[in-house]
Amino acid sequence: MNWKAVFTIAKKDIKEARQNKSVWLPVLIVPLIFVVIMPVGLILGVSSATGAVGNPMNDPDFAVFLEKMPEFMSKLINGMDSVQSSIVLLLGYLFAPFFLILPLMFSTVIASESFAGERERKTIEALLYTPATDTELLMGKVMAGFIPAVLITLGSFVMYILVVNGAAYPVMGRIWFPLPSWYALILWVSPAISLLGIAATVLISARVQTFMGAYQSSASLVLLVLVLLAGQATGVVYLSVAVSLLIGAGIFAIDAILMYYAVRTFNRDKLLASAA
């Protein structure tokens, strides 16, 4: 495989994605919500709550989570008051699956720009006649979504560390975040779910006519994140380091299957016919 050709295609796609308002606008807005507004709002809300009624630790719905909480989490909040415990549990654990929406959204919105975006701009014919092989062309599209998604997610994680520690410092009195489970989440599960979104979206965008059609079709992947969120909130699963490693390995296995299928089914002639 000619990786120079792969990254040339990826570079071209990334440049075109930056010029599309429908692509870069969500990339700016969503991190602002998940990385700044929601964490700061939760910290201020918990810190300013007065009495037992206002504290999440005394919420009957939260009781299920507390009852099933594993030992490693109990040890983490041991010795903390109710406000500190609430911040650690909410932003350190329950909020973790929300963060997976970022790489999934970044990867799918950029990948949707791949073949579907080329059709809208009437440039797919010239691209398909390039000397790059089918596999190189497909991998270029994958890299165009994967590289920005991983980099933006890492940047958002760094910002989340600064925001959470800064906003909670008056209450916590120390730097408490990130927790060990987040490293596996960001460095292992996040790339896996980014690749999942890209593989599925590239397959979809090669068959639909518009960018928005491809993006909307791939939006159902967010259900995977919601399942993790519901599982953790109800005590069915906890994103510990070991669990995150297992989840990431499972998603990477699915990625491999989808990528194999994508390479096997990719056909330039069909794409040219559909673009005509």
Side-chain angles (χ1 to χ4, degrees):
M1 184 183 296
N2 185 348
W3 285 102
K4 183 178 180 180
V6 170
F7 286 109
T8 298
I9 295 170
K11 183 178 179 180
K12 179 192 71 70
D13 273 21
I14 293 171
K15 182 179 179 181
E16 290 173 347
R18 287 169 53 193
Q19 298 171 350
N20 189 337
K21 184 178 179 180
S22 299
V23 173
W24 59 258
L25 196 58
V27 171
L28 293 177
I29 294 176
V30 175
L32 179 65
I33 295 173
F34 283 97
V35 177
V36 179
I37 296 176
M38 290 182 66
V40 171
L42 284 171
I43 291 171
L44 293 177
V46 172
S47 302
S48 60
T50 56
V53 177
N55 194 294
M57 297 291 284
N58 299 308
D59 190 325
D61 294 330
F62 203 55
V64 175
F65 177 83
L66 295 174
E67 289 174 3
K68 296 182 178 181
M69 188 168 58
E71 185 179 357
F72 78 92
M73 291 177 63
S74 300
K75 289 182 177 179
L76 187 66
I77 63 173
N78 186 35
M80 294 183 181
D81 60 35
S82 60
V83 174
Q84 293 172 333
S85 298
S86 297
I87 291 174
V88 171
L89 294 177
L90 289 174
L91 294 177
Y93 283 99
L94 287 179
F95 196 79
F98 273 116
F99 214 85
L100 291 177
I101 293 177
L102 300 182
L104 187 59
M105 188 212 71
F106 297 151
S107 61
T108 54
V109 73
I110 296 173
S112 297
E113 255 284 306
S114 57
F115 294 113
E118 295 279 2
R119 283 201 186 95
E120 288 186 297
R121 294 188 298 273
K122 308 298 182 182
T123 58
I124 193 168
E125 294 92 341
L127 179 66
L128 293 175
Y129 282 125
T130 60
T133 66
D134 289 355
T135 302
E136 290 166 356
L137 181 57
L138 189 63
M139 288 304 298
K141 296 294 185 181
V142 171
M143 289 295 105
F146 183 75
I147 294 172
V150 170
L151 293 179
I152 296 172
T153 300
L154 288 174
S156 299
F157 179 53
V158 172
M159 180 61 68
Y160 187 74
I161 292 173
L162 297 175
V163 169
V164 167
N165 283 310
Y169 194 83
V171 176
M172 303 298 294
R174 61 185 177 88
I175 303 298
W176 65 276
F177 187 86
L179 303 177
S181 58
W182 277 75
Y183 293 110
L185 187 77
I186 298 299
L187 300 178
W188 180 245
V189 180
S190 173
I193 206 166
S194 293
L195 195 57
L196 176 65
I198 293 165
T201 305
V202 168
L203 284 170
I204 293 169
S205 65
R207 292 165 173 77
V208 300
Q209 298 297 321
T210 65
F211 158 74
M212 288 306 298
Y215 181 57
Q216 290 171 359
S217 298
S218 60
S220 59
L221 292 172
V222 175
L223 291 174
L224 293 174
V225 178
L226 296 181
V227 168
L228 283 177
L229 177 64
Q232 186 155 260
T234 56
V236 174
V237 63
Y238 292 94
L239 291 178
S240 63
V241 175
V243 171
S244 295
L245 291 175
L246 288 173
I247 291 175
I251 297 175
F252 270 123
I254 297 173
D255 295 341
I257 295 172
L258 288 177
M259 289 304 302
Y260 177 79
Y261 177 75
V263 171
R264 296 278 293 180
T265 59
F266 181 77
N267 187 295
R268 291 188 184 213
D269 293 335
K270 288 183 179 180
L271 287 174
L272 284 170
S274 65

